[in-house]
């Protein structure tokens, strides 16, 4: 069982999922000059992560990039801030649409959902290795020290920085908490 959605209250419904279910929280891209930057949290848990912390759910985050925001597409870099500020009510993450590359969801399913089930738990080192620069593992069940299953948290050292360009910003190496 899995639930995927953009950061927001609708994902609290995951508390109704069965043990070892998966929750993918897509973290909206937000510029440095518009409110809502906290929704991109990868260096600590998100507000939703507080609810799922140390539960039997596998909670992962995925950072969306500039390509997920159709607003102001094709605007020159020098005019981008002006465009966003003129449209800021439409731009606020809770009011806008998101374009999510389907490969992100397929990647999540392949790397985490299908490899970590109630019957089979993935080693923590494998999960951490599959993290990459876009995923953050807020609350995951994996095996450490042989076959001992436990809850682990793999965060990035620093917050993800918004990039106005179409390229994803790089994150530091993940750390275990």
């Amino acid at each position: 069982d899995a639930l995927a959605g953009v950061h927001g209250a609708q994902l609290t419904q995951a508390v109704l999922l069965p043990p070892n279910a998966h929750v993918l929280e897509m973290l909206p891209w937000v510029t440095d000059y518009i409110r809502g930057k906290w929704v991109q949290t990868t260096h600590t848990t998100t507000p939703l992560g507080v609810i799922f912390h140390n539960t039997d759910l596998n909670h992962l985050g995925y950072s969306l990039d500039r390509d997920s925001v159709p607003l102001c597409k094709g605007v020159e870099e020098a005019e981008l801030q002006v465009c966003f500020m003129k449209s800021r009510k439409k731009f606020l993450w809770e009011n806008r649409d998101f374009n999510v590359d389907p490969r992100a969801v397929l990647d999540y399913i392949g790397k985490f959902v299908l490899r970590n089930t109630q019957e089979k738990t993935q080693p923590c080192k494998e999960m951490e290795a599959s993290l990459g620069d876009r995923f953050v593992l807020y609350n995951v069940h994996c095996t450490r020290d042989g076959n001992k299953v436990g809850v682990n948290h793999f965060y990035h050292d620093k917050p993800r920085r918004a990039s106005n360009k179409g390229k994803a910003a790089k994150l530091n190496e993940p750390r275990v908490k």
Side-chain angles (χ1 to χ4, degrees):
D1 293 291
L3 175 65
V6 174
H7 170 88
Q10 70 282 357
L11 290 177
T12 59
Q13 295 177 45
V15 298
L16 304 173
L17 290 172
N20 298 314
H22 295 263
V23 180
L24 175 61
E25 179 180 7
M26 290 177 242
L27 307 169
W29 178 85
V30 180
T31 67
D32 292 333
Y33 44 83
I34 295 182
R35 154 183 97 76
K37 188 82 175 136
W38 55 269
V39 301
Q40 295 181 316
T41 306
T42 59
H43 63 291
T44 188
T45 191
T46 60
L48 186 65
V50 172
I51 296 168
F52 301 147
H53 190 76
N54 291 332
T55 66
D56 56 7
L57 293 173
N58 291 289
H59 175 214
L60 289 78
Y62 181 81
S63 296
L64 298 173
D65 62 12
R66 170 65 181 102
D67 290 335
S68 69
V69 181
L71 191 63
C72 299
K73 280 279 192 202
V75 174
E76 294 293 322
E77 184 74 26
E79 299 298 316
L80 199 55
Q81 184 171 352
V82 172
C83 180
F84 281 138
M85 294 307 286
K86 281 183 182 176
S87 308
R88 72 178 163 269
K89 286 188 179 178
K90 290 181 194 171
F91 182 78
L92 295 176
W93 66 268
E94 68 265 27
N95 297 334
R96 63 182 160 121
D97 293 327
F98 296 91
N99 297 326
V100 179
D101 186 341
R103 290 175 293 191
V105 177
L106 293 173
D107 196 26
Y108 161 69
I109 292 169
K111 285 181 176 180
F112 303 106
V113 176
L114 297 177
R115 298 171 91 195
N116 216 37
T117 65
Q118 199 160 5
E119 296 81 32
K120 181 180 127 194
T121 305
Q122 195 175 357
C124 294
K125 287 187 187 251
E126 283 182 28
M127 283 193 111
E128 188 177 9
S130 59
L131 184 62
D133 70 340
R134 303 286 290 279
F135 283 106
V136 59
L137 310 180
Y138 295 118
N139 194 70
V140 293
H141 295 266
C142 53
T143 57
R144 250 190 225 286
D145 305 323
N147 289 328
K148 185 178 177 188
V149 176
V151 177
N152 291 274
H153 316 282
F154 300 95
Y155 302 126
H156 293 281
D157 283 336
K158 294 184 180 174
R160 185 178 180 84
R161 301 229 183 272
S163 167
N164 290 337
K165 298 183 170 122
K167 298 174 191 158
K170 292 290 181 197
L171 294 173
N172 288 355
E173 289 300 309
R175 65 181 163 87
V176 178
K177 242 192 178 179

Short mmCIF file of all heavy atoms in Angstrom, two decimals, residues 22 38 63 76 88-89 115-116 130 164:
data_model
loop_
_atom_site.label_atom_id
_atom_site.label_comp_id
_atom_site.label_asym_id
_atom_site.label_seq_id
_atom_site.Cartn_x
_atom_site.Cartn_y
_atom_site.Cartn_z
N HIS A 22 3.62 2.86 2.58
CA HIS A 22 4.54 3.91 2.13
C HIS A 22 3.78 5.21 1.86
O HIS A 22 2.68 5.19 1.32
CB HIS A 22 5.25 3.48 0.85
CG HIS A 22 6.14 2.31 1.05
ND1 HIS A 22 7.49 2.46 1.24
CD2 HIS A 22 5.90 0.98 1.10
CE1 HIS A 22 8.04 1.27 1.40
NE2 HIS A 22 7.09 0.35 1.31
N TRP A 38 9.54 26.63 3.80
CA TRP A 38 9.63 25.53 4.76
C TRP A 38 9.08 24.22 4.22
O TRP A 38 9.38 23.16 4.76
CB TRP A 38 8.92 25.91 6.07
CG TRP A 38 7.50 26.32 5.87
CD1 TRP A 38 7.04 27.59 5.65
CD2 TRP A 38 6.36 25.47 5.84
NE1 TRP A 38 5.68 27.57 5.48
CE2 TRP A 38 5.23 26.29 5.60
CE3 TRP A 38 6.17 24.11 5.99
CZ2 TRP A 38 3.95 25.77 5.51
CZ3 TRP A 38 4.88 23.60 5.90
CH2 TRP A 38 3.79 24.43 5.67
N SER A 63 11.92 16.08 -3.54
CA SER A 63 12.01 17.51 -3.85
C SER A 63 11.70 17.76 -5.33
O SER A 63 12.40 17.27 -6.20
CB SER A 63 13.40 18.04 -3.53
OG SER A 63 13.65 17.94 -2.16
N GLU A 76 12.44 35.18 -19.29
CA GLU A 76 13.89 35.34 -19.13
C GLU A 76 14.26 35.39 -17.65
O GLU A 76 13.50 35.92 -16.84
CB GLU A 76 14.37 36.62 -19.83
CG GLU A 76 14.21 36.60 -21.34
CD GLU A 76 15.12 35.59 -22.01
OE1 GLU A 76 16.27 35.42 -21.56
OE2 GLU A 76 14.68 34.96 -22.98
N ARG A 88 2.07 36.23 -7.45
CA ARG A 88 2.38 35.52 -6.21
C ARG A 88 1.19 34.83 -5.57
O ARG A 88 1.34 33.80 -4.95
CB ARG A 88 3.12 36.42 -5.23
CG ARG A 88 2.36 37.49 -4.57
CD ARG A 88 3.27 38.25 -3.59
NE ARG A 88 2.70 39.53 -3.25
CZ ARG A 88 2.93 40.66 -3.88
NH1 ARG A 88 3.75 40.68 -4.91
NH2 ARG A 88 2.35 41.77 -3.51
N LYS A 89 -0.02 35.34 -5.74
CA LYS A 89 -1.18 34.64 -5.16
C LYS A 89 -1.41 33.31 -5.88
O LYS A 89 -1.83 32.34 -5.26
CB LYS A 89 -2.42 35.52 -5.22
CG LYS A 89 -2.38 36.62 -4.19
CD LYS A 89 -3.67 37.37 -4.11
CE LYS A 89 -3.55 38.45 -3.03
NZ LYS A 89 -4.75 39.24 -2.93
N ARG A 115 10.64 -2.89 -2.96
CA ARG A 115 11.79 -3.53 -2.30
C ARG A 115 11.66 -3.55 -0.79
O ARG A 115 12.51 -4.08 -0.10
CB ARG A 115 13.06 -2.80 -2.70
CG ARG A 115 13.29 -2.89 -4.21
CD ARG A 115 14.40 -2.01 -4.64
NE ARG A 115 15.62 -2.80 -4.59
CZ ARG A 115 16.82 -2.27 -4.63
NH1 ARG A 115 16.97 -0.98 -4.69
NH2 ARG A 115 17.88 -3.04 -4.59
N ASN A 116 10.61 -2.93 -0.25
CA ASN A 116 10.45 -2.86 1.20
C ASN A 116 8.98 -3.13 1.53
O ASN A 116 8.16 -2.23 1.53
CB ASN A 116 10.86 -1.47 1.70
CG ASN A 116 11.53 -1.51 3.04
OD1 ASN A 116 12.29 -2.44 3.32
ND2 ASN A 116 11.28 -0.53 3.86
N SER A 130 20.27 4.34 -2.33
CA SER A 130 19.31 4.69 -3.38
C SER A 130 18.68 6.06 -3.15
O SER A 130 17.86 6.50 -3.94
CB SER A 130 18.22 3.61 -3.49
OG SER A 130 17.54 3.46 -2.28
N ASN A 164 16.30 28.90 -9.72
CA ASN A 164 15.33 29.41 -10.68
C ASN A 164 15.50 28.76 -12.04
O ASN A 164 14.65 28.86 -12.89
CB ASN A 164 15.44 30.92 -10.81
CG ASN A 164 14.94 31.61 -9.57
OD1 ASN A 164 14.15 31.05 -8.83
ND2 ASN A 164 15.40 32.82 -9.35
#
